[in-house]
Amino acid sequence: MENELKIRTLTERFFEGETTLAEEKELYEYYRSGEVPADLLPLRTMFLGLEAVGMKQEEPEQKEVSLPLKETNSVTTRRKPIIWKWITAAAAVAVLLISGASLFWKQQNECVAYIYGEKCTDKTVIMQEFERNIGTMTEGQNDIESQLNEMFN
């Protein structure tokens, strides 16, 4: 009877968030036993589930502690991923710099034209030849327009 009263009090304190870890373990043990009153049976499933979750979270830590540690292996295995992360980051930066430089190199304004089969990079010569060719093309357009006007008028 006294134990049942203690468990009921601990259960109420558990739901209010006032229990310690030792008291919670006591609750888990009690609900794991078969001596649970009928009105507390719905809580049994909850406490068993919480205990199972708590045990799963503690297992990796226990396994880590129980394994013998070799400093050379653990240090190298821990540093390898860090080193590879830095190498990967440096490679990504290098790729970005190279691609940026190539885009900048291509974006420089260089005027190139092939005039009568010869490569010319002098901007004034290219512009003179361009204007001369545009002039001859517009002259031909006036002839076409006048011919069309004569045909349809």
Side-chain angles (χ1 to χ4, degrees), residues 116 128-144:
Y116 305 114
Q128 287 173 354
E129 191 63 29
F130 176 74
E131 288 172 3
R132 188 182 66 78
N133 284 329
I134 289 293
T136 57
M137 287 191 315
T138 55
E139 286 175 10
Q141 267 188 341
N142 289 338
D143 290 340
I144 294 172

Side-chain angles (χ1 to χ4, degrees), residues 103-152:
L103 287 175
F104 176 73
W105 189 266
K106 287 181 182 177
Q107 287 180 352
Q108 289 181 346
N109 290 333
E110 184 178 354
C111 198
V112 177
Y114 287 90
I115 302 172
Y116 305 114
E118 292 183 25
K119 183 178 180 180
C120 180
T121 56
D122 186 12
K123 189 174 181 179
T124 56
V125 173
I126 293 172
M127 290 307 292
Q128 287 173 354
E129 191 63 29
F130 176 74
E131 288 172 3
R132 188 182 66 78
N133 284 329
I134 289 293
T136 57
M137 287 191 315
T138 55
E139 286 175 10
Q141 267 188 341
N142 289 338
D143 290 340
I144 294 172
E145 285 180 23
S146 63
Q147 288 175 4
L148 287 173
N149 285 335
E150 286 176 16
M151 283 175 35
F152 291 112

Side-chain angles (χ1 to χ4, degrees), residues 61-75:
E61 293 173 11
Q62 291 173 352
K63 286 182 183 177
E64 252 181 59
V65 173
S66 65
L67 292 174
L69 295 175
K70 294 181 181 178
E71 277 198 38
T72 56
N73 288 342
S74 65
V75 169

